[in-house]
Amino acid sequence: MAGAASPSQAAPAGRTLNLALATSASVMCFWAWNSVATLGSFYTQNLHLNPATTGVLVAMPVFVGSLGRIVVGTLTDKYGGRAMFTFVLLATILPILLVALGGTINSFAVVLGAGLLLGVAGTVFAVGIPFVSAWYEAARRGFATGVFGAGMGGTALAAFLNPRLVAGIGYFPTHLLIAGLLAVMAALIWFLMKESPGWSRNNAPVLPKLADAARTPVTWKMCFLYAVVFGGFVSFATYLPTYLRDVYGFEPAGAGARTAGFALAAVLARPVGGVLADRVGPKPVVITSLAGVAVLGWVVNLQPDGEVPAGLTFVAMAAALGLGTGGVFAWVGVLAPQGKVGSISGVVSAAGGLGGYFPPLVMGATYDAATHSYSIGLLLLVVTALVAVAFTVFAVRGRAKAAVAAA
């Protein structure tokens, strides 16, 4: 049963190290998971793709990673974080090598198929949430899940480093480097990571556990909210290089650097969202986040001119999304019954990933090449965020602090 030590007990020895290991594993998996998206311009040019086809290509890892979280979260309750982190890291190596092969021989089919398999890297989130939640008492789970969630900073590494590595050492060697780092990280996890003293194996069959999670009302409430905030982050992180190229005319390296800044802002904001949820409650944090997303989505649609206005707008959007992801999962870590954290986290994480799957497809399909405009996709984001604000205000109840929140 996944749980945490009583708040009155001393902090378990080694929990800081294990939180750091889990976060590092997440960074590495997010780097690999976004390896296709961050080289979208490379594939567009070398595989002769149109915007809609590029959107399909970059969304494939997101789709599989989202659905895979449901099963992986449940398996984490059974086998523990150490085994599942190691599995996810090792299982990501083959898809990365296949992506390297597909890009080298200029085969869209191979890159697309490898992208589907690469989705396994995205399941890491469903491993880490129950693992770190078991190490921390309820009053500090917002902090713990927020720090672990900062592992999505791997998207920043991918956006910043991948275009430069491809330009510096070549496309194939870049992917070999990523594969090698995945192997090193898997070894560190296997030899250094330990389960929380409060954790015990949950051997309940997978399908009944998922059905039980589906019957828990909080699961679906959190699914919707996380689909908006984390889905929004994934959408921007995967499609922003293409957006910056089409709207602002940036080259791959420049677009990658700015996408990395966006991802970094979201990464830094996520732990803040978790800590604020611990202190003032997740509900006001999530409402503030969603309201900010709605306003900033409208501003992005106006295409602010100039490096500073546009840059500040995207950084503010990233911060709003990051706060929301921290706030929502602080809610999940507290509200999920013991023994169900993995299964519920898996379902909610899947919803977040699926929330990031469809927007790139919509953006690619609705792009107006004549005016270089993505207005339809951005206005849909604004409407969705406003609906989510109303949903949070009227449909989700919560007390003052995350530790005693109710939904």
Side-chain angles (χ1 to χ4, degrees), residues 70 74 77 205-223 336-337 339-348 350-351:
I70 299 174
T74 305
D77 283 341
V206 172
L207 291 180
K209 285 181 65 179
L210 292 177
D212 186 43
R215 288 192 296 266
T216 304
V218 70
T219 302
W220 298 108
K221 293 178 181 180
M222 296 300 105
C223 276
K340 299 181 183 180
V341 178
S343 55
I344 292 177
S345 296
V347 175
V348 175

Side-chain angles (χ1 to χ4, degrees), residues 40-88:
S41 297
F42 174 90
Y43 296 118
T44 299
Q45 179 179 352
N46 288 273
L47 304 181
H48 309 291
L49 307 179
N50 58 41
T53 308
T54 300
V56 172
L57 188 67
V58 302
M60 281 302 102
V62 176
F63 179 70
V64 177
S66 303
L67 295 180
R69 289 178 177 188
I70 299 174
V71 176
V72 169
T74 305
L75 292 175
T76 301
D77 283 341
K78 183 174 183 178
Y79 296 108
R82 174 173 172 263
M84 293 306 298
F85 271 126
T86 305
F87 167 77
V88 170

Side-chain angles (χ1 to χ4, degrees), residues 67-128:
L67 295 180
R69 289 178 177 188
I70 299 174
V71 176
V72 169
T74 305
L75 292 175
T76 301
D77 283 341
K78 183 174 183 178
Y79 296 108
R82 174 173 172 263
M84 293 306 298
F85 271 126
T86 305
F87 167 77
V88 170
L89 287 160
L90 293 178
T92 303
I93 293 175
L94 178 60
I96 280 290
L97 296 177
L98 289 176
V99 169
L101 173 64
T104 301
I105 64 176
N106 292 329
S107 170
F108 174 78
V110 173
V111 176
L112 182 66
L116 287 169
L117 297 176
L118 190 59
V120 68
T123 66
V124 70
F125 205 78
V127 179

Side-chain angles (χ1 to χ4, degrees), residues 288-326:
T288 301
S289 162
L290 292 168
V293 170
V295 172
L296 292 164
W298 175 257
V299 176
V300 171
N301 175 61
L302 298 177
Q303 296 184 12
D305 191 21
E307 181 79 13
V308 173
L312 290 177
T313 299
F314 282 110
V315 167
M317 172 67 81
L321 292 168
L323 282 174
T325 57

Side-chain angles (χ1 to χ4, degrees), residues 73-259:
T74 305
L75 292 175
T76 301
D77 283 341
K78 183 174 183 178
Y79 296 108
R82 174 173 172 263
M84 293 306 298
F85 271 126
T86 305
F87 167 77
V88 170
L89 287 160
L90 293 178
T92 303
I93 293 175
L94 178 60
I96 280 290
L97 296 177
L98 289 176
V99 169
L101 173 64
T104 301
I105 64 176
N106 292 329
S107 170
F108 174 78
V110 173
V111 176
L112 182 66
L116 287 169
L117 297 176
L118 190 59
V120 68
T123 66
V124 70
F125 205 78
V127 179
I129 292 298
F131 176 80
V132 302
S133 293
W135 275 101
Y136 285 81
E137 62 275 14
R140 297 201 68 205
R141 284 183 191 158
F143 162 78
T145 57
V147 171
F148 170 74
M152 65 188 189
T155 59
L157 284 178
F160 184 80
L161 292 177
N162 286 2
R164 287 167 170 77
L165 288 171
V166 169
I169 65 175
Y171 176 86
F172 195 83
T174 294
H175 290 80
L176 287 181
L177 174 62
I178 296 172
L181 291 174
L182 286 165
V184 171
M185 193 71 240
L188 291 174
I189 292 294
W190 184 254
F191 290 108
L192 298 179
M193 181 173 277
K194 295 181 180 179
E195 302 295 338
S196 164
W199 179 85
S200 62
R201 184 186 301 269
N202 187 326
N203 289 314
V206 172
L207 291 180
K209 285 181 65 179
L210 292 177
D212 186 43
R215 288 192 296 266
T216 304
V218 70
T219 302
W220 298 108
K221 293 178 181 180
M222 296 300 105
C223 276
F224 173 62
L225 296 178
Y226 202 61
V228 177
V229 291
F230 186 74
F233 166 75
V234 172
S235 299
F236 275 101
T238 56
Y239 206 78
L240 194 54
T242 301
Y243 181 94
L244 293 175
R245 180 198 67 196
D246 293 339
V247 176
Y248 291 99
F250 284 109
E251 294 299 319
R258 287 158 179 82
T259 302

